[in-house]
Structure formats: C-alpha cells, structure tokens
Amino acid sequence: MIATRDIGAAAADILSKLDFVGKQPRELLGARDVTYAEVTKVIGAAIGKPDLAYKQLPAEQLKPALTQMGMSPNMADLLLEMCDSLNSGYMKAREPRSPRNTTPTTIETFVAEVFVPAYRGKAAGA
C-alpha cells in the first residue's frame, strides 16, 4: 500500500531530473509491507473502533456491493481478478524492497492525515 502523495513526489522527482530514456518502469512499494488486518487495526484505533475487524468476502458477495456503489460490472470483475492475483501471490512486486522503492508515508500517517479527516467529514455530512 502506498500513499498517492508518495507516487506524485516520485513522479515529480523523475520528471524534474529527466535522467531516463524511453519508457522505464519504476516500482514503489510504500513505507513497509502491511496486511489488510494490520491496516484495519490502525483504522479502527484512529476512528475509535478498536474492535474493527478485517473480513475477506467472497467475490460473489463483493461484486454486488461494488456495483451498487456505482462500479460497472466489468470494472468490478477486473478489480476482483486483481485481488485474487494479489491474494494468490500471482501478482507481486518485481523487485525486492530497497531504499529506492520504499516511500516515506506510513499507513499510520496516511490514516491520521488523509483517511480520518475524510471519514469524519463524510460522517458529519451524513
């Protein structure tokens, strides 16, 4: 998991240096490897729900929820396929974690600075 601001900072750095030729992939891996259960625990603590638990739903239950939220059936299928690939290990990082591909924003910082304000704003507007 990676903060979008870290992606933007890496892109800005690359584009300001222009020290590449043609198309070159740049893999970014976030501050550290985290599980969905760890992320859920951080979010739960931050929003005052320390017992919040991560539940993995089967695709048959998740797809209708995604489409009810406005996602097209095709996009939901593609997202679920990507999740299956990640969960099975078929889709994974192509290079080992290193200082070059590790970004600064931790999940705790992201949750505190981005997620919680958005969560509270939505809750206040509901």
Side-chain angles (χ1 to χ4, degrees):
M1 293 187 187
I2 183 170
T4 53
R5 68 179 171 202
D6 291 348
I7 297 169
D13 182 58
I14 292 165
L15 292 172
S16 68
K17 291 177 183 172
L18 292 177
D19 60 354
F20 62 91
V21 177
K23 298 177 183 177
Q24 297 176 353
R26 171 79 188 271
E27 192 163 51
L28 299 173
L29 301 179
R32 69 178 190 280
D33 296 337
V34 293
T35 66
Y36 290 121
E38 290 171 302
V39 172
T40 303
K41 186 172 183 156
V42 171
I43 291 171
I47 64 172
K49 297 181 180 184
D51 295 333
L52 190 66
Y54 171 70
K55 305 276 186 192
Q56 187 171 341
L57 297 175
E60 308 82 55
Q61 289 180 347
L62 192 51
K63 183 177 178 179
L66 294 172
T67 56
Q68 286 174 0
M69 291 186 295
M71 191 176 288
S72 73
N74 185 54
M75 183 63 201
D77 287 338
L78 292 170
L79 182 63
L80 293 169
E81 180 181 348
M82 183 179 72
C83 289
D84 285 343
S85 294
L86 287 165
N87 290 334
S88 71
Y90 182 76
M91 185 174 153
K92 58 187 173 193
R94 297 180 66 190
E95 59 188 61
R97 182 173 290 283
S98 70
R100 182 176 187 272
N101 63 25
T102 298
T103 55
T105 306
T106 65
I107 193 67
E108 292 82 3
T109 299
F110 176 82
V111 168
E113 296 179 2
V114 179
F115 180 84
V116 170
Y119 174 81
R120 288 193 178 135
K122 182 171 177 111

